[in-house]
Amino acid sequence: MYGKAFVPAAKDTWTLIKDRGVDALINDCLIGNVLQMGAFLCAAVVALVAWLYITITKPEYNTTGSYTAPIIIAAFVLAMSMFMVLLKSIDSGAATTFVCLAEDPDAMARNNPQLFAMVREAYPQVVRGVHAVERF
């Protein structure tokens, strides 16, 4: 965004986050765990559907049952991979929110006062010196 190389920009971002106290907020963020559990549950459901399909339809290529496990494993891996790709945008949005909060908390106070109030209540050190803007 500012024309810096990746490594200096990453160092500047981490310094900004530490100075603002957003690192405490990031440590409390459970979004990664929730997304991983969602991906696992989605993959488990798809694997169950694959098993049901193999069991109910009894396809000709699997008369001996030797393809059941590979099909279920492949369904699980593919479903988990596809779900994680889709959820990466949610994870990126959360990370972007943290960086924007560290860089310009006034913008959040202006644009989303309800979210700003929740952040200020839970993490007062993050928004020190920033006052909520009244909207008319």
Side-chain angles (χ1 to χ4, degrees):
M1 185 163 128
Y2 295 113
K4 290 184 178 180
F6 177 77
V7 173
K11 286 180 181 179
D12 290 349
T13 302
W14 184 246
T15 302
L16 175 68
I17 285 173
K18 297 275 294 177
D19 289 347
R20 266 299 202 186
V22 179
D23 57 331
L25 182 66
I26 293 171
N27 286 339
D28 289 348
C29 180
L30 299 174
I31 194 163
N33 296 337
V34 171
L35 295 180
Q36 189 69 33
M37 184 57 73
F40 181 80
L41 290 175
C42 176
V45 168
V46 170
L48 177 65
V49 169
W51 176 78
L52 286 172
Y53 174 78
I54 293 291
T55 304
I56 292 170
T57 62
K58 297 183 185 351
E60 194 174 309
Y61 61 84
N62 195 34
T63 53
T64 63
S66 59
Y67 289 115
T68 302
I71 289 172
I72 292 171
I73 291 169
F76 183 88
V77 169
L78 287 172
M80 188 147 178
S81 300
M82 291 171 63
F83 197 74
M84 288 303 294
V85 167
L86 292 174
L87 291 180
K88 193 61 180 169
S89 62
I90 295 172
D91 192 34
S92 297
T96 302
T97 301
F98 291 142
V99 171
C100 292
L101 177 63
E103 187 165 325
D104 189 10
D106 288 322
M108 182 182 284
R110 282 189 311 273
N111 297 323
N112 198 340
Q114 291 174 329
L115 178 60
F116 181 78
M118 289 190 302
V119 171
R120 182 177 49 204
E121 183 179 315
Y123 301 96
Q125 74 279 8
V126 172
V127 292
R128 64 180 177 265
V130 179
H131 306 287
V133 176
E134 294 294 323
R135 297 186 101 174
F136 298 101

